[in-house]
Amino acid sequence: MQIKHYFLILAALHATNAIAQDMSAKEALVDANIRSIFYHELGHAVISEMNVPIFGQEEDAADVMSVLLIDALYEEEAAQALAYDSAFGFINDPEGTEEIAYWSTHGPDEQRYYNHVCLFYGANPDERDDLAVELGLPQDRAEYCPEEFDQANSSWSLIFDEMEVAENAGKLVYEYEGSAPNGLLDRIMQQEVSDMNDTLSLPRDVGVVVLSCGEANAYYDPQKIEIQFCEEFIPHLETIWEKLQ
């Protein structure tokens, strides 16, 4: 079953009202990147809990899952807005003054940016051509993006077919340990966890914890079986927005 059709059946367009229409440009970028980062970390959890075979970097696979969820769960206008804003979350050094950490398990930021744009564009090139042009996707890459999406879609659909919601299946279990209860991050994560539990199941419960870490970070901890999302990401994303102005 193709992933788009699968999620339309299960999620019933979970995010029709997920993104507020009256947000400022800064708030929209922060909101979009929180969701995109959560989908990325959920990708790590799925890979771990579903024993997904990965041929290549796991970070790349988690990036792919994030884009597939954005494409599948949102109506077209909201999906484009979220994909557009979350693309800039990869541009942590817009002035290009920092040394690239080629040793990192993550690919270079600019490469992740173009992979993100390409995969999202490839899912619906007729509707997303203007977005691809605005985000600077080169035509030499763009012509292969539909094939890249089809390949990713086919691979991940096999996994999602095994994650149909069922009784006694594992769920995401949310816990807030941060300093701003009912703030933006808390509200978004509560909503995402609830919506995902209506959409997917896992072999066992997986925690989703928002906490203060002393740094902007998010990761899946396979020992604790939980996604940890640091509240410091909010000021970090606000700084990215300010640098881009």
Side-chain angles (χ1 to χ4, degrees), residues 144-159:
Y144 295 104
C145 294
E147 295 177 15
E148 292 185 35
F149 173 81
D150 288 343
Q151 183 182 58
N153 187 46
S154 296
S155 298
W156 276 101
S157 290
L158 299 175
I159 306 304

Side-chain angles (χ1 to χ4, degrees), residues 18-38:
I19 302 177
Q21 300 300 309
D22 58 349
M23 289 189 296
S24 69
K26 181 192 290 188
E27 290 170 333
L29 184 139
V30 171
D31 181 286
N33 278 278
I34 289 172
R35 297 178 195 275
S36 177
I37 293 164
F38 172 63

Side-chain angles (χ1 to χ4, degrees), residues 7-71:
F7 276 114
L8 287 176
I9 292 172
L10 291 180
L13 294 170
H14 106 300
T16 299
N17 298 313
I19 302 177
Q21 300 300 309
D22 58 349
M23 289 189 296
S24 69
K26 181 192 290 188
E27 290 170 333
L29 184 139
V30 171
D31 181 286
N33 278 278
I34 289 172
R35 297 178 195 275
S36 177
I37 293 164
F38 172 63
Y39 299 155
H40 173 97
E41 299 309 329
L42 180 60
H44 285 299
V46 169
I47 289 167
S48 177
E49 295 303 308
M50 299 295 294
N51 296 313
V52 179
I54 298 299
F55 304 99
Q57 293 281 11
E58 183 175 325
E59 294 295 341
D60 293 340
D63 281 349
V64 167
M65 180 172 153
S66 178
V67 177
L68 293 178
L69 289 177
I70 292 170
D71 173 68

